[in-house]
Amino acid sequence: MAKKNGRPDWDTYWMDIVDAVSKRSTCLRHNIGAVIVNDKTIVSTGFNGAPRNLPHCSEIGCLRDEMKIPSGTRHEICRGAHAEQNAIIRGDPTRMVGGTMYINAKPCKICAKMIINAGIEEVVYVNYYPDNEGIEMIKHARIKTRSYDKK
């Protein structure tokens, strides 16, 4: 939501950056981005894609598509790391504690565990992803969650 002066509010600002980060994704199914923020400063960003020095799905195809595996299931089959995982792995752990993660999808259960252990205190997500287990786990850990409605 924009303010009268045309400047976006903070959630919109961070989600616009999430959308830009997601454009680097190499996943054939979903372009997901994540941004970790603390004290109105970016701590880390991540997008979904294959680990370093491995060919991307955009280059060799998607095993999950070939096996007809539904979205939100059998995460271990995917060769890529999720955006949330990459943001946590690449960031300074001391700056993540107490921060907020913005994501353009709901986190899966695997990412939820990483978010909890990273000490992130709030997750703002777009209500997109068939798996609700991750967001429920985050709520159970008493981490604040908010669904962001992209307008």
Side-chain angles (χ1 to χ4, degrees):
M1 173 171 291
K3 294 181 181 179
K4 288 183 180 180
N5 64 6
R7 293 177 70 197
D9 60 38
W10 284 108
D11 283 349
T12 302
Y13 176 72
W14 299 124
M15 280 298 188
D16 286 349
I17 293 171
V18 166
D19 286 342
V21 170
S22 74
K23 291 177 183 172
R24 289 290 304 157
S25 170
T26 59
C27 179
L28 298 174
R29 288 181 163 201
H30 309 287
N31 298 118
I32 308 299
V35 174
I36 300 172
V37 176
N38 202 338
D39 195 26
K40 294 187 171 75
T41 303
I42 293 175
V43 173
S44 184
T45 66
F47 54 87
N48 55 334
R52 290 180 188 184
N53 303 317
L54 293 180
H56 295 286
C57 297
S58 58
E59 299 167 329
I60 63 170
C62 176
L63 182 59
R64 291 172 54 84
D65 275 350
E66 292 169 21
M67 296 176 72
K68 297 182 179 21
I69 296 171
S71 185
T73 65
R74 305 285 316 270
H75 302 289
E76 75 279 4
I77 302 286
C78 181
R79 72 182 288 106
H82 287 184
E84 304 94 317
Q85 295 167 353
N86 280 325
I88 291 168
I89 291 165
R90 294 176 180 153
D92 176 350
T94 62
R95 293 180 57 216
M96 281 182 225
V97 173
T100 300
M101 179 180 277
Y102 288 85
I103 320 160
N104 63 346
K106 288 185 287 189
C108 73
K109 193 173 184 178
I110 296 167
C111 291
K113 294 174 198 178
M114 293 180 71
I115 290 166
I116 293 164
N117 283 344
I120 292 168
E121 290 186 0
E122 182 177 21
V123 176
V124 181
Y125 62 95
V126 174
N127 196 11
Y128 163 78
Y129 199 63
D131 180 1
N132 286 316
E133 288 185 70
I135 206 70
E136 292 305 319
M137 182 181 281
I138 290 168
K139 289 176 182 178
H140 189 73
R142 297 185 188 98
I143 294 172
K144 183 178 177 184
T145 62
R146 291 187 289 125
S147 176
Y148 177 80
D149 183 21
K150 293 176 84 169
K151 300 188 175 28

